[in-house]
């Protein structure tokens, strides 16, 4: 690992030198790629420098221990430096893990009401609100693709893009079945009901990232429904695309023009086809299912939101928080951090 770190440090120094050259920005695309590489390497190099400094402090303290008057002080310095070195070594192991190439991408999120009728639709709306508030806290923006609501304010389905660098690295852990236990607004007897909603998170792909044969696509147009102003139900602006080889169906009705809705549908389709291909490759190479901590399986219950007890439990890492109100208001970092840490630990174990 230390040889690899020295190579990373050398590459970083090389990139720093290049970025200071007068003609560095002559080719903007190349310059942007090199700067991204430099920024990616910077935290590794900084941690490596802190690690070598801790090693040096240990060696210096060990040398001075031969002096009886300095032994106690140096022993304390040695132990502190050793603890620091060990922690930095662990951080370096994580920093050197192969990165998910999609981590920096924006994401497409799909929320569907599951078991529980109208209450599941109301819970799906609560999840949509939760992710919208989390995106706002992170400085990301929400772009609606398809939103099918109910008369009581629930959501049958909500498809949207979360635009922001690194959105996939945080939200990829949200895929799966979310379960809610609460007294529904539609319940007159005060009984607690259990309902579910499903969440799927896909890295956003452009058409150029995935090969799509136009002949494989059937396009249907229809009139949009729901909120949206006077144009709703007057023009056939909503678009539905059917990918005939896979049977995938995507729809978008949130834009006023058919062209814009089709463009968004193509982005959704590209992301879905990419996911299918990645699952096929992973299955062939490993013969194993995805890690439960990883990006989650859509048919697995990953989290329970228990309103009477005020708790949220993520079953993948056995984490329970008694702060359901703040979680539903978008305070997801504590849960996501725990999932990311568990994911890193699993990858480290597999890398050894």
């Amino acid at each position: 690992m230390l040889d690899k770190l020295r190579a990373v440090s050398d590459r970083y120094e090389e990139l720093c030198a290049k970025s200071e050259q007068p003609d560095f920005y002559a080719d903007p695309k190349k310059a942007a790629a090199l700067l991204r590489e430099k920024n990616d390497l910077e935290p590794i190099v900084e941690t490596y420098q802190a690690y070598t400094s801790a090693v040096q402090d240990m060696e210096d303290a060990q040398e001075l221990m031969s002096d009886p008057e300095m032994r106690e002080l140096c022993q304390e310095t040695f132990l502190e430096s050793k603890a620091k070195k060990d922690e930095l070594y662990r951080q370096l192991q994580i920093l050197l893990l192969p990165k998910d190439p999609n981590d920096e991408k924006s994401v497409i999120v799909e929320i569907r009401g599951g078991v529980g009728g109208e209450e599941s639709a109301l819970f799906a709306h609560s999840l949509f609100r939760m992710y919208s508030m989390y995106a706002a806290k992170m400085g990301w923006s929400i772009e609606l693709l398809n939103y099918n609501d109910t008369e009581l304010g629930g959501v049958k389905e909500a498809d949207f893009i979360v635009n922001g660098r690194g959105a996939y690295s945080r939200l990829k852990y949200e895929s799966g079945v979310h379960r809610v236990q609460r007294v529904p607004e539609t319940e007159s007897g005060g009984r607690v009901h259990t309902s579910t909603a499903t969440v799927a998170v896909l890295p956003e792909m452009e058409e150029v990232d995935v090969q799509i044969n136009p002949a494989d696509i059937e396009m249907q147009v229809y009139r949009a429904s729901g909120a949206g102003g006077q144009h709703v139900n007057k023009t056939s602006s909503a678009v539905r695309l059917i990918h005939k080889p896979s049977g995938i169906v995507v729809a978008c009705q949130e834009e006023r023009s058919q062209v814009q809705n089709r463009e968004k549908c193509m982005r959704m389709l590209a992301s879905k086809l990419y996911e299918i291909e990645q699952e096929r490759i992973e299955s062939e190479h490993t013969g194993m299912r995805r890690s439960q901590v990883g990006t989650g399986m859509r048919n697995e219950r990953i989290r329970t939101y228990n309103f009477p007890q005020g708790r949220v439990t993520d079953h993948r890492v056995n984490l329970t928080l008694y702060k359901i109100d703040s979680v539903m208001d978008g305070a997801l970092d504590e849960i996501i951090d725990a999932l990311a840490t568990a994911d890193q630990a699993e990858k480290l174990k597999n890398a050894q």
Side-chain angles (χ1 to χ4, degrees):
M1 188 178 89
L2 294 177
D3 288 340
K4 188 172 183 179
L5 286 166
R6 281 189 283 269
V8 167
S9 183
D10 290 343
R11 175 60 176 165
Y12 178 75
E13 294 300 326
E14 180 187 343
L15 290 169
C16 287
K18 282 185 177 180
S19 67
E20 293 171 1
Q21 296 299 315
D23 61 344
F24 180 71
Y25 292 97
D27 184 340
K29 276 192 175 181
K30 184 179 178 183
L34 292 174
L35 285 174
R36 274 196 303 271
E37 184 185 356
K38 175 176 171 286
N39 291 337
D40 287 343
L41 296 181
E42 191 167 359
I44 302 174
V45 172
E46 287 178 351
T47 307
Y48 176 52
Q49 289 172 345
Y51 172 83
T52 55
S53 177
V55 170
Q56 187 62 54
D57 290 344
M58 279 177 59
E59 292 174 354
D60 292 345
Q62 200 163 23
E63 282 183 18
L64 292 170
M65 278 185 199
S66 56
D67 185 340
E69 294 181 4
M70 298 285 290
R71 183 175 296 136
E72 188 175 340
L73 178 62
C74 289
Q75 192 163 19
E76 186 179 335
T77 301
F78 176 84
L79 292 173
E80 286 176 0
S81 299
K82 185 179 184 304
K84 187 177 179 182
K85 184 206 77 167
D86 292 344
E87 172 58 22
L88 289 166
Y89 187 84
R90 189 190 69 81
Q91 290 179 25
L92 286 168
Q93 285 182 304
I94 292 171
L95 286 168
L96 287 175
L97 285 173
K99 284 192 174 181
D100 186 328
N102 297 314
D103 271 353
E104 295 302 303
K105 289 183 180 289
S106 297
V107 298
I108 293 176
V109 181
E110 300 176 339
I111 301 175
R112 299 286 184 272
V115 176
E118 183 62 37
E119 168 60 6
S120 72
L122 290 168
F123 178 50
H125 177 269
S126 298
L127 291 177
F128 174 71
R129 176 181 176 275
M130 179 181 77
Y131 292 127
S132 298
M133 294 184 77
Y134 180 65
K137 290 176 191 288
M138 298 295 289
W140 301 332
S141 64
I142 295 287
E143 187 180 346
L144 267 183
L145 298 170
N146 193 36
Y147 191 88
N148 188 352
D149 54 6
T150 66
E151 290 182 2
L152 296 179
V155 175
K156 292 179 183 176
E157 53 186 29
D159 302 331
F160 54 98
I161 300 173
V162 180
N163 289 304
R165 185 176 179 187
Y168 185 70
S169 71
R170 302 295 289 169
L171 292 175
K172 64 184 177 183
Y173 302 107
E174 295 302 299
S175 286
V177 176
H178 295 242
R179 180 175 72 169
V180 64
Q181 295 170 326
R182 65 184 178 186
V183 178
E185 296 174 23
T186 53
E187 168 61 52
S188 58
R191 292 176 302 167
V192 174
H193 287 223
T194 298
S195 304
T196 64
T198 61
V199 176
V201 180
L202 310 172
E204 188 193 9
M205 294 290 163
E206 300 292 339
E207 288 180 60
V208 294
D209 297 324
V210 180
Q211 295 298 317
I212 302 176
N213 185 349
D216 291 338
I217 298 172
E218 178 187 336
M219 175 173 159
Q220 299 175 351
V221 295
Y222 58 100
R223 291 181 179 179
S225 61
Q230 292 184 349
H231 79 287
V232 171
N233 294 327
K234 288 193 174 182
T235 60
S236 296
S237 59
V239 171
R240 182 184 296 113
L241 296 183
I242 302 169
H243 187 252
K244 289 180 280 189
S246 65
I248 292 173
V249 179
V250 293
C252 182
Q253 63 173 19
E254 297 305 314
E255 298 296 337
R256 288 179 175 270
S257 86
Q258 198 179 104
V259 172
Q260 288 173 312
N261 281 324
R262 185 186 185 283
E263 181 188 337
K264 287 188 174 182
C265 275
M266 288 299 291
R267 286 154 69 185
M268 291 173 71
L269 180 59
S271 295
K272 285 176 176 286
L273 289 174
Y274 174 84
E275 182 191 39
I276 290 173
E277 179 63 13
Q278 289 303 108
E279 287 180 348
R280 183 190 67 79
I281 292 170
E282 186 173 279
S283 177
E284 286 181 0
H285 286 183
T286 66
M288 296 169 63
R289 60 187 293 286
R290 288 183 181 179
S291 162
Q292 283 192 6
V293 171
T295 51
M297 301 295 284
R298 289 195 208 181
N299 61 346
E300 289 175 351
R301 185 190 71 199
I302 62 168
R303 194 175 299 151
T304 295
Y305 305 76
N306 186 300
F307 279 79
Q309 296 178 16
R311 65 174 170 84
V312 178
T313 299
D314 196 289
H315 305 289
R316 294 163 292 179
V317 287
N318 295 320
L319 173 69
T320 296
L321 302 176
Y322 288 90
K323 48 176 81 172
I324 195 165
D325 290 339
S326 60
V327 168
M328 298 311 294
D329 284 343
L332 292 173
D333 276 334
E334 191 170 351
I335 298 173
I336 292 173
D337 286 344
L339 290 163
T341 299
D343 192 21
Q344 289 168 348
E346 184 69 22
K347 289 175 179 173
L348 272 174
K349 187 171 73 175
N350 293 335
Q352 289 171 357

